[in-house]
Amino acid sequence: QMQLVEFGGGLVQAGGSLRLSCAASGRTFNIFRMGWFRQAPGKEREFVAAIRWNTGNIYYTDSVKGRFTISRDNARNTVYLQMNSLKPEDTAVYYCVAEPRAGAGYDYWGQGTQVTVSS
C-alpha cells in the first residue's frame, strides 16, 4: 500500500501563486508516475499534470501549460506542483495521484487539498 499526503492549498488572489506538495510513503519502491488531478464544484474530476518517476517526462493539460510546473524529488518520494498566474477557474480540490507500476493506472489518491482563487 502507498499513502499520499498533500500540503500547500489555500486562498490566493487571481494572478498569484501557490505550491502544492505531495509526499508518498509506504510501498514507494519503483513508482512509475505521479501527478495531480483536480475537481471543481459541479464539474468532473480532470487531469492536471503528471511526471514519470524515472525519466522525468512531463505531461500537462492544455489549460495549465505555461503556468503550472510539476517536479519531483525522488529521494523524498515527493511531487510538487508550482502554480503561477492563477485564475478563478483554477479553483478546485487538487488530488495527488500515484501509478505504482506501468499500466496500473492511478491506483493511489491523496485526500485532496483545496485551492481557491479569488477574482
Side-chain angles (χ1 to χ4, degrees):
Q1 292 294 321
M2 186 187 304
Q3 294 78 42
L4 303 175
V5 179
E6 301 113 333
F7 302 92
L11 172 65
V12 65
Q13 288 188 332
S17 298
L18 281 175
R19 187 192 195 207
L20 305 183
S21 60
C22 171
S25 61
R27 192 174 179 180
T28 58
F29 176 76
N30 209 27
I31 294 174
F32 179 68
R33 180 162 42 197
M34 290 187 70
W36 298 89
F37 278 68
R38 67 185 179 185
Q39 187 166 20
K43 294 188 176 181
E44 293 187 356
R45 194 170 293 181
E46 67 168 347
F47 168 81
V48 177
I51 185 166
R52 284 274 301 272
W53 216 241
N54 286 341
T55 65
N57 289 358
I58 288 174
Y59 313 87
Y60 295 106
T61 191
D62 286 346
S63 62
V64 308
K65 286 179 181 177
R67 300 188 299 122
F68 290 12
T69 302
I70 190 170
S71 61
R72 77 208 192 285
D73 183 332
N74 294 53
R76 290 186 167 86
N77 292 319
T78 298
V79 65
Y80 305 95
L81 187 67
Q82 177 67 41
M83 304 184 293
N84 299 329
S85 302
L86 282 161
K87 304 175 181 180
E89 52 264 42
D90 294 317
T91 295
V93 178
Y94 284 71
Y95 297 90
C96 176
V97 296
E99 185 172 9
R101 58 193 178 279
Y106 293 114
D107 280 353
Y108 298 100
W109 291 70
Q111 80 282 2
T113 185
Q114 177 70 46
V115 171
T116 302
V117 185
S118 63
S119 58

